[in-house]
Amino acid sequence: MTLTELRYIVAVARERHFGRAAEACFVSQPTLSVAIKKLEEELDVKIFERGSSEVSMTPLGEAIVRQAQSVIEQAQGIREIAKRGKDPLAGPLRLGIIYTIGPYLLPELVKNAIEQTPQMPLMLQENFTVKLLDMLRTGEIDCAIMAEPFPDTGLALAPLYDEPFMVAMPASHPLAGRSHISSQELKQETMLLLGTGHCFRDHVLEVCPEFARFSSDTEGIKKSFEGSSLETIKHMVASGMGITVVPGLSVPATPQPHLVHVPFEAPVPMRRVVLAWRRSFTRYEAIAALRNAIYACALPGVVRLSA
């Protein structure tokens, strides 16, 4: 059994046709057919059912093809390890990031990464904290940018910055002219929140715990509304449907005509943003390069941190 034979059966499974699979593998159809026949004889199983118009896999063949794909990926991993030994920055870095950070950090971060480490493209995955932690555990991503706190999973952590919260409200709101505002003053307001699953929702409820009691079946106008993204909620706020709390990086540099952002009074609530990775991840230079690319971003209004 060889890797070449495994690549052939994966190609046939993908193309459902011996001729197209041979073209994809840059070999003649007889060469591919003979190799697959040899493998079937070696394993003493039938991997494919040959039809007049299309090739299908036998039930046992499906399991064999799945394992073949895994073996091919592992073999490719060996090449990647060897490549990284020559240049630790060579090869993509799989980065996860939570929804309430991605839109405001990624555009400049990706630009910086391309300029500083073009040999290390970022493969991005935007998701909830819980999902990113699971993806880190299973090796689907290499590292993630998240906000503390989250469950202790034995990850290595590097603090990036502390990000203050601000109150977003319609420009016509009575409190819009204030230089600062306290969380107590928000008790009588209609609060718009992110939906369940967003860690920033939990952060806001820590600042304004009285809104935790509101649910979708609450009577009257003083209830919490849930949105799928911060930008959706901001548009709702601008239209006069309520107020919300936002992270500092989401505040645009240019004032908006229908939306005002007011800082909190001291002590200002904030969240700590960190970079997390598996302790078994050996590309330390890649992590350092990513941190440098993050610190090269403007990061207006945040407090930069170092390890």
Side-chain angles (χ1 to χ4, degrees):
M1 185 188 308
T2 66
L3 282 174
T4 298
E5 291 169 348
L6 297 183
R7 290 192 182 97
Y8 289 169
I9 65 172
V10 169
V12 172
R14 181 179 63 247
E15 300 292 340
R16 303 282 179 172
H17 191 275
F18 277 82
R20 291 194 297 270
E23 291 178 6
C25 295
F26 303 102
V27 296
S28 67
Q29 182 171 335
T31 298
L32 180 135
S33 297
V34 168
I36 293 177
K37 186 66 175 176
K38 173 177 170 292
L39 181 59
E40 289 180 321
E41 291 174 352
E42 178 183 343
L43 298 176
D44 195 22
V45 298
K46 196 172 186 179
I47 299 174
F48 298 107
E49 295 284 2
R50 281 80 166 168
S52 57
S53 60
E54 188 177 86
V55 176
S56 61
M57 288 180 285
T58 64
L60 192 56
E62 290 184 2
I64 291 173
V65 168
R66 283 197 301 270
Q67 186 63 32
Q69 179 65 53
S70 177
V71 171
I72 292 169
E73 290 174 355
Q74 291 176 28
Q76 182 62 35
I78 294 174
R79 293 190 179 91
E80 292 297 329
I81 291 171
K83 186 189 298 181
R84 293 198 298 267
K86 299 176 183 177
D87 180 2
L89 298 181
L93 184 68
R94 299 171 298 173
L95 171 64
I97 192 166
I98 58 175
Y99 290 115
T100 56
I101 296 178
Y104 315 110
L105 179 62
L106 283 180
E108 191 174 3
L109 172 58
V110 171
K111 175 178 174 291
N112 291 342
I114 291 173
E115 292 175 352
Q116 297 175 13
T117 53
Q119 75 274 38
M120 188 185 76
L122 297 180
M123 299 178 65
L124 304 172
Q125 170 68 238
E126 198 176 25
N127 220 310
F128 296 110
T129 298
V130 172
K131 178 60 176 175
L132 293 180
L133 288 172
D134 186 56
M135 296 177 75
L136 276 172
R137 180 181 57 80
T138 59
E140 294 179 68
I141 56 175
D142 300 318
C143 53
I145 298 173
M146 301 179 290
E148 290 185 318
F150 47 80
D152 182 7
T153 56
L155 296 170
L157 299 178
L160 297 175
Y161 55 84
D162 286 338
E163 182 177 24
F165 298 163
M166 298 186 74
V167 182
M169 62 184 69
S172 58
H173 195 281
L175 298 175
R178 297 278 296 275
S179 60
H180 295 85
I181 194 169
S182 70
S183 59
Q184 294 296 316
E185 293 175 282
L186 304 183
K187 287 184 176 181
Q188 303 305 314
E189 302 295 331
T190 299
M191 178 69 76
L192 278 62
L193 298 173
L194 284 170
T196 303
H198 290 275
C199 61
F200 190 71
R201 170 195 174 93
D202 300 328
H203 295 156
V204 173
L205 292 179
E206 288 178 9
V207 177
C208 309
E210 57 276 2
F211 290 104
R213 71 178 187 272
F214 295 141
S215 62
S216 59
D217 57 357
T218 302
E219 295 294 332
I221 192 171
K222 284 184 197 162
K223 56 183 287 188
S224 63
F225 293 84
E226 297 183 355
S228 59
S229 73
L230 280 176
E231 293 307 308
T232 299
I233 288 179
K234 284 184 179 183
H235 286 297
M236 295 170 66
V237 169
S239 67
M241 295 186 66
I243 66 170
T244 194
V245 176
V246 299
L249 276 186
S250 73
V251 178
T254 304
Q256 297 173 298
H258 304 296
L259 193 64
V260 172
H261 296 87
V262 181
F264 276 97
E265 290 180 353
V268 178
M270 60 180 58
R271 65 177 178 179
R272 174 156 295 182
V273 175
V274 301
L275 178 63
W277 66 95
R278 292 183 306 282
R279 295 187 184 277
S280 60
F281 186 62
T282 58
R283 295 175 64 191
Y284 308 115
E285 295 86 350
I287 295 295
L290 177 61
R291 291 185 69 192
N292 289 337
I294 293 170
Y295 284 132
C297 296
L299 302 176
V302 309
V303 180
R304 297 167 185 262
L305 303 171
S306 58

